[in-house]
Amino acid sequence: MTAGTPQDGGTGEEHGPGGAPVGGRPVRLLRRAAGLLRLTSLRLRLVVVFALVALTAAVSASGIAYWLNRNTVLDRTQNAALKDFRKSLEDNARTLPLRPRCAELQDAARQMAAGPQNYTVLLIGVDREGKECAATTDKDLLTLAVVPQSLRNAVDQARPVDENNHAAHHLYWQRKEVGDVPYLVAGAKVIGGGPTGYMMKSLATERQDLTSLGWSLGIATALALVGSALLAQAAATTVLRPVQRLGHAARQLGEGRLDTRLRVTGTDELADLSRTFNRTAERLQQRVEELSGREAASRRFVADMSHELRTPLTAITAVTEVLEEEADSLDPMIAPAVQLVVSETRRLNDLVENLMEVTRFDAGTARLVLDDVDVADQVTACIDARAWLDAVELDADRGTVARLDPRRLDVILANLIGNALKHGGSPVRVSVRTEPAEGAPEEAGAAAGSPAGAAAGGELVIRVRDHGPGIPEEVLPHVFDRFYKASASRPRSEGSGLGLSIAQENAHIHGGRISAANDPEGGAVFTLRLPRDASRLADGDGPAAGGERSGDEGTEGRR
């Protein structure tokens, strides 16, 4: 049988200080018992199937054995008693006159009952005066009224004598219970004239023997059932232990431990399954390492390219600034070209900055630099810095303090509001609210502007709504994808298609998220949810993810 075990030594047990298992042996036993009692447990199903098969076989064998023994015991006792009764009736009938007296019948009945079979005898005859006489050895047990009428009718009936029937009368018998005691009742008529004899033999001894046999077979059946359950448990353990180890190894593989392997022994089907798992894990590890290498090379390429582009861009930007200042003195034929160079240079500069920011996120080097921020003031500063005051309506109460990275919050707001202004419709409305965190009651905020206010529980919810045509339903799932542009007819635009993606990444690094939807009254709504205190996500020793602002203010994010 397969003995597959994860080679990394993982046991799946929880350990406390000092390496001691949490809960100890009682907890493990309870967990194991709970696993055995699960109705969906394969182990329980195997035990139940084994037990049912064993129970069916044992009950069938016991039933057949009981039936065969019962018939053998009863037939042996019955045949011996009937044979003795027939012979004794014939022997005693010869010594009796044709019309015997009652005393003679009584003596003959006593002689017949004194035999080794120990049965009670009833003789019925007609004396010389024509009166019927009944002689019995036990008046309390055997009388003519006790004999079943069907048996009496059969004994009295005379059948025609032919080649198949050599006698007019035969010996008949049947079983009957008297006072919960089984008896064998038989009767016969003496051929050629003479008394009619009946006998009654107790079968209590045979019933007791059969009852003992039944109990013995029942105990044997119970023992067989217990044995089959133990065998089923052993078989299930033998079969399921490799399966459990395989499941544990699969969970480790799913958690990212790609070096997990099973130790394989044997040549059965479970061993083949373990070998297949090892081959699959090895190929998966190779594939993941290959893809990780390609991804790392791609990130390095983008980072290096962005870094290398910054040097010539700096010189080009300086030149374009000079050209822009001299635009009024340029030839009217040249001025449009100069304006195009200026705008495209700015766009390229923004693209490079965005690519560098994306590279930081992909490389995992982006860090939070937290501070207590008055959210209303932050939104106002973002709008004022970009001259959007006339196009944006702000609905925010001052004093709502959150502990966030102000630079990254500014990047998020700039992208969301700029996107709404470019692709939606004025006015753009920005609302700021606080809501209790999921699964937690709403807490009372501290004084505005205080650090305790930033540390208050709950979520910060910022909604940016425009009054444009909204976002097409087929576009909604892709608005945060990198370089996604909904309109193929506008391949060139002021945005790069990275703004909303960068905004989402900045929300994620805070432990928040951004969602996009269409308002029932028209226009698109972007909802930003951030924790009011992101301290648990910040790395105090790590560097900030660049000091310069990066953001695609008004990126081509959705339409």
Side-chain angles (χ1 to χ4, degrees):
M1 186 58 65
T2 306
T5 57
Q7 293 181 349
D8 53 18
T11 63
E13 294 183 357
E14 299 178 0
H15 289 73
V22 176
R25 184 177 180 84
V27 174
R28 292 197 301 271
L29 292 176
L30 288 176
R31 290 177 179 173
R32 185 173 183 182
L36 291 176
L37 293 177
R38 287 200 313 269
L39 293 179
T40 57
S41 170
L42 181 58
R43 182 189 302 273
L44 180 59
R45 282 183 283 173
L46 284 175
V47 172
V48 170
V49 169
F50 269 76
L52 289 177
V53 171
L55 181 62
T56 302
V59 169
S60 301
S62 299
I64 294 174
Y66 181 82
W67 180 74
L68 292 176
N69 280 275
R70 177 180 181 276
N71 288 343
T72 300
V73 170
L74 292 179
D75 288 346
R76 182 176 62 246
T77 302
Q78 174 181 293
N79 292 338
L82 294 178
K83 182 178 179 181
D84 183 81
F85 175 69
R86 181 196 297 272
K87 184 175 182 302
S88 179
L89 181 62
E90 291 177 354
D91 292 344
N92 285 276
R94 293 174 186 172
T95 62
L96 291 175
L98 186 61
R99 292 180 177 271
R101 296 190 299 272
C102 286
E104 293 174 334
L105 284 177
Q106 190 68 44
D107 292 339
R110 290 195 188 97
Q111 291 178 5
M112 293 176 62
Q117 292 299 321
N118 192 26
Y119 47 71
T120 303
V121 177
L122 170 65
L123 294 179
I124 299 175
V126 179
D127 60 11
R128 297 170 184 172
E129 298 177 357
K131 295 181 179 179
E132 186 177 75
C133 180
T136 178
T137 57
D138 191 343
K139 296 181 180 180
D140 297 330
L141 178 63
L142 180 59
T143 62
L144 190 60
V146 175
V147 179
Q149 186 64 44
S150 58
L151 178 63
R152 289 156 55 187
N153 294 336
V155 170
D156 293 336
Q157 182 180 1
R159 289 173 171 76
V161 178
D162 53 26
E163 59 181 6
N164 296 323
N165 183 34
H166 302 285
H169 297 280
H170 296 273
L171 175 65
Y172 297 93
W173 61 269
Q174 73 178 67
R175 298 189 190 108
K176 127 173 227 187
E177 285 194 3
V178 178
D180 294 333
V181 178
Y183 286 93
L184 173 67
V185 182
K189 182 181 288 290
V190 177
I191 301 174
T196 300
Y198 295 97
M199 75 91 175
M200 180 180 287
K201 177 176 177 56
S202 173
L203 299 177
T205 303
E206 286 71 16
R207 169 185 275 185
Q208 185 177 1
D209 293 341
L210 291 175
T211 301
S212 300
L213 175 62
W215 277 105
S216 300
L217 293 176
I219 294 173
T221 300
L223 293 177
L225 181 60
V226 173
S228 66
L230 295 177
L231 290 176
Q233 174 68 16
T237 301
T238 304
V239 172
L240 294 180
R241 184 179 292 116
V243 176
Q244 291 172 346
R245 290 170 179 167
L246 179 61
H248 178 63
R251 286 191 296 271
Q252 289 182 322
L253 191 66
E255 293 170 357
R257 302 176 66 176
L258 301 180
D259 58 341
T260 302
R261 299 293 185 273
L262 291 172
R263 187 181 300 114
V264 182
T265 58
T267 58
D268 57 11
E269 291 80 359
L270 291 174
D272 292 339
L273 180 61
S274 298
R275 293 189 186 94
T276 302
F277 173 85
N278 289 340
R279 288 195 296 268
T280 303
E282 183 177 358
R283 293 172 184 172
L284 179 61
Q285 184 179 15
Q286 293 174 354
R287 185 61 176 168
V288 170
E289 290 176 351
E290 180 183 350
L291 293 176
S292 299
R294 291 181 182 179
E295 184 180 0
S298 177
R299 286 199 301 265
R300 285 195 302 269
F301 172 76
V302 174
D304 295 342
M305 180 188 68
S306 302
H307 182 74
E308 293 299 327
L309 284 175
R310 295 187 71 180
T311 301
L313 272 177
T314 302
I316 295 174
T317 302
V319 173
T320 55
E321 290 177 354
V322 173
L323 290 176
E324 188 176 19
E325 291 176 358
E326 299 295 331
D328 295 338
S329 62
L330 295 175
D331 189 322
M333 299 295 293
I334 302 176
V338 171
Q339 291 296 330
L340 178 62
V341 170
V342 171
S343 63
E344 290 298 316
T345 300
R346 289 175 178 170
R347 180 172 178 268
L348 182 59
N349 189 63
D350 290 340
L351 176 60
V352 171
E353 295 294 337
N354 287 336
L355 287 175
M356 294 187 69
E357 184 76 355
V358 169
T359 302
R360 294 187 188 98
F361 285 121
D362 290 343
T365 59
R367 296 290 183 269
L368 292 175
V369 180
L370 300 180
D371 195 3
D372 293 331
V373 177
D374 189 307
V375 182
D377 291 343
Q378 181 75 19
V379 177
T380 302
C382 175
I383 297 172
D384 186 37
R386 293 160 180 84
W388 291 339
L389 287 175
D390 295 336
V392 178
E393 297 177 356
L394 177 60
D395 178 14
D397 297 329
R398 297 190 181 279
T400 302
V401 179
R403 187 163 183 78
L404 304 169
D405 187 329
R407 184 187 69 84
R408 296 188 181 278
L409 179 58
D410 181 78
V411 171
I412 297 173
L413 294 173
N415 280 287
L416 294 181
I417 299 173
N419 184 76
L421 289 171
K422 287 184 179 179
H423 305 295
S426 297
V428 172
R429 183 178 179 83
V430 180
S431 62
V432 180
R433 297 287 184 271
T434 57
E435 296 180 0
E438 295 181 0
E442 186 173 5
E443 300 179 8
S450 67
E459 284 185 332
L460 177 67
V461 180
I462 301 176
R463 290 183 174 88
V464 179
R465 180 195 171 190
D466 60 47
H467 289 76
I471 306 174
E473 293 297 328
E474 67 273 10
V475 176
L476 274 175
H478 306 285
V479 292
F480 297 106
D481 294 351
R482 295 176 182 178
F483 299 105
Y484 182 79
K485 297 182 181 182
S487 177
S489 63
R490 296 187 291 108
R492 291 181 59 82
S493 63
E494 296 181 6
S496 63
L498 288 174
L500 291 180
S501 175
I502 291 175
Q504 185 73 282
E505 293 290 350
N506 278 298
H508 287 166
I509 200 174
H510 280 89
R513 62 195 183 279
I514 305 175
S515 59
N518 288 314
D519 193 273
E521 299 179 0
V525 180
F526 285 82
T527 303
L528 168 66
R529 294 181 178 272
L530 298 176
R532 294 187 64 182
D533 186 0
S535 299
R536 64 183 182 85
L537 299 173
D539 185 0
D541 298 330
E548 64 279 298
R549 175 186 298 170
S550 73
D552 189 2
E553 300 173 4
T555 181
E556 190 98 19
R558 51 175 167 139
R559 291 186 284 278

